[in-house]
Amino acid sequence: MKFTDALVELTRTEPQSINPSNPGRAFDDSGDLTEALKDHYDPEQVKAKLLQCVQWYVTKKKKGRSKAKKAARKVEEEKEVAEQQGTRDTDAAQDEATLLEDAIKLAAAGKEALKSEAGDKEGTVAKDAAKQIITKMCGNGYVASEEGHIIEDFLQTFMSGFKNLAAVSIAGAFYEATTTTQDKYPGVWSDISKLKLVVSLFLFNATQHVLEGDIQHGRGFASFACYMEEMILRLQTNAKVTFSWKTIELTRADERTLVKYLRQHIPCTCLDTKYKEVKSMTKTGACANPLCHAPDRYRVERSTMLYCTRCRAANYCSRECQKAAWPKHKSHCGIPV
């Protein structure tokens, strides 16, 4: 009988007396243990112990099963919670994506709505900024050549000669500038292509000064360009060309007249925005009568002026000034200017 079978058997047998003569005999596990055990232990005690062991085992097993069930239930609950949380996260993500999509649609709609109000303004600002960048890169018609340094030196010499008499007489100052440059640069004065480069360089400087807000220097360079154009006409036609009154006017022209003149003489659009700004200004002109008694003969409102119907070059502030200037004007009236 096996040891475990013997234990079970002991729980079923009646208690017997213990043999005091043999209290500690060893036993063989492979043999019949029932007889051996009953001589040494009280069967009732063994039975009680076994019952305690069984009860402990059963209780422990129940507790183990209970813990296992609790653990399994906890796992299931955690799994269920995770699934619910995942579902909520998915729903939240979907809601968030929906809200984001709606926000994008609203932003696009708002952008479209603002185009009608601010679109034109923003477009204008962007165009103006682009024009400013292009203007800085633009030569306004002037293209430097291999002889560019000669043209630039010519310009500086012309300006120096002009300044010597500018405070005394505008006509005398132009004459002085012409004489000075003819002596130093006869090759330029005899070459129309070089004179055209001089004109384009004067126009470039005038345009840049106007764009920078320096109207006074812009007037000076514009009048120099106008004068050199007259000289080119003289060389091309071999005709006697008069000193144009337009040249005199440009030395003191109002901003609108100055910008309009330059805009008509440069090949680019750098002055288009500027012209829109000054277009509403009142145009003024200069009275061609040197003895005019007007407070400012160079600032007469253009709409009130009279002009010579024959040459259309000379303007007057009144009929009296036109008559007074005729004796001198008739000597060159009608000559190309």
Side-chain angles (χ1 to χ4, degrees):
M1 180 183 289
K2 300 296 182 178
F3 176 74
T4 53
D5 295 336
L7 290 176
V8 174
E9 185 63 25
L10 282 173
T11 61
R12 296 176 180 176
T13 58
E14 295 294 330
Q16 299 180 9
S17 61
I18 299 174
N19 188 359
S21 64
N22 189 17
R25 186 180 65 181
F27 59 88
D28 184 3
D29 183 48
S30 63
D32 189 353
L33 299 178
T34 304
E35 293 296 330
L37 290 173
K38 73 180 181 179
D39 293 336
H40 296 278
Y41 302 99
D42 184 357
E44 292 297 328
Q45 293 179 355
V46 173
K47 184 177 180 179
K49 291 291 183 181
L50 287 175
L51 287 174
Q52 291 177 359
C53 290
V54 171
Q55 290 174 354
W56 173 84
Y57 175 76
V58 172
T59 303
K60 184 176 181 181
K61 189 173 182 181
K62 287 182 178 180
K63 289 182 178 179
R65 288 178 180 175
S66 178
K67 288 182 179 179
K69 288 181 179 179
K70 288 181 179 180
R73 190 180 302 111
K74 185 176 182 180
V75 171
E76 290 296 329
E77 290 175 352
E78 290 178 350
K79 184 177 179 181
E80 185 177 354
V81 170
E83 290 177 353
Q84 293 176 353
Q85 184 64 36
T87 302
R88 285 196 294 268
D89 291 343
T90 302
D91 294 340
Q94 292 177 349
D95 293 340
E96 187 175 332
T98 303
L99 289 173
L100 180 59
E101 185 178 355
D102 292 340
I104 293 173
K105 290 180 179 180
L106 287 172
K111 185 177 180 180
E112 290 296 329
L114 288 173
K115 280 185 178 180
S116 59
E117 298 178 2
D120 294 339
K121 183 177 180 181
E122 291 177 359
T124 301
V125 172
K127 288 179 181 178
D128 290 344
K131 284 183 179 180
Q132 289 178 2
I133 296 173
I134 294 172
T135 299
K136 291 180 180 180
M137 301 171 59
C138 180
N140 307 124
Y142 174 69
V143 180
S145 63
E146 295 179 356
E147 298 179 338
H149 63 286
I150 298 177
I151 303 303
E152 292 174 4
D153 290 343
F154 179 97
L155 182 145
Q156 294 298 329
T157 303
F158 187 92
M159 291 173 58
S160 298
F162 182 87
K163 289 179 181 178
N164 292 335
L165 292 176
V168 179
S169 170
I170 297 296
F174 276 109
Y175 178 80
E176 179 67 20
T178 302
T179 303
T180 303
T181 52
Q182 283 178 340
D183 292 341
K184 191 174 181 179
Y185 303 99
V188 175
W189 277 104
S190 61
D191 190 334
I192 292 178
S193 62
K194 292 180 181 178
L195 287 176
K196 287 183 178 180
L197 281 176
V198 172
V199 172
S200 64
L201 184 55
F202 277 134
L203 290 171
F204 166 74
N205 279 277
T207 301
Q208 293 303 309
H209 280 296
V210 168
L211 290 172
E212 293 169 4
D214 187 354
I215 303 303
Q216 183 59 39
H217 283 89
R219 292 186 183 113
F221 281 108
S223 64
F224 296 157
C226 185
Y227 175 78
M228 295 306 298
E229 286 179 332
E230 295 171 3
M231 297 301 105
I232 291 174
L233 181 61
R234 177 180 178 181
L235 291 173
Q236 288 178 330
T237 60
N238 291 321
K240 179 182 178 181
V241 179
T242 64
F243 186 68
S244 171
W245 185 247
K246 182 67 175 179
T247 301
I248 302 295
E249 278 191 322
L250 284 172
T251 61
R252 302 189 184 186
D254 62 272
E255 193 170 354
R256 177 181 174 181
T257 300
L258 175 62
V259 173
K260 182 179 180 181
Y261 169 81
L262 292 173
R263 184 166 171 262
Q264 290 175 342
H265 286 77
I266 59 175
C268 58
T269 59
C270 294
L271 286 176
D272 285 2
T273 301
K274 186 67 176 177
Y275 183 69
K276 290 179 181 179
E277 295 175 2
V278 302
K279 192 175 181 180
S280 60
M281 293 182 178
T282 301
K283 291 179 65 176
T284 61
C287 181
N289 179 20
L291 301 177
C292 178
H293 297 292
D296 187 354
R297 58 181 286 232
Y298 294 98
R299 288 289 188 274
V300 181
E301 188 173 344
R302 180 77 67 177
S303 61
T304 64
M305 297 188 75
L306 304 173
Y307 60 89
C308 179
T309 56
R310 184 179 179 189
C311 67
R312 295 181 179 271
N315 301 305
Y316 303 95
C317 65
S318 64
R319 181 69 64 184
E320 291 74 19
C321 279
Q322 186 174 15
K323 290 180 178 180
W326 175 246
K328 186 176 181 179
H329 176 65
K330 67 179 179 181
S331 62
H332 55 265
C333 180
I335 298 176
V337 291

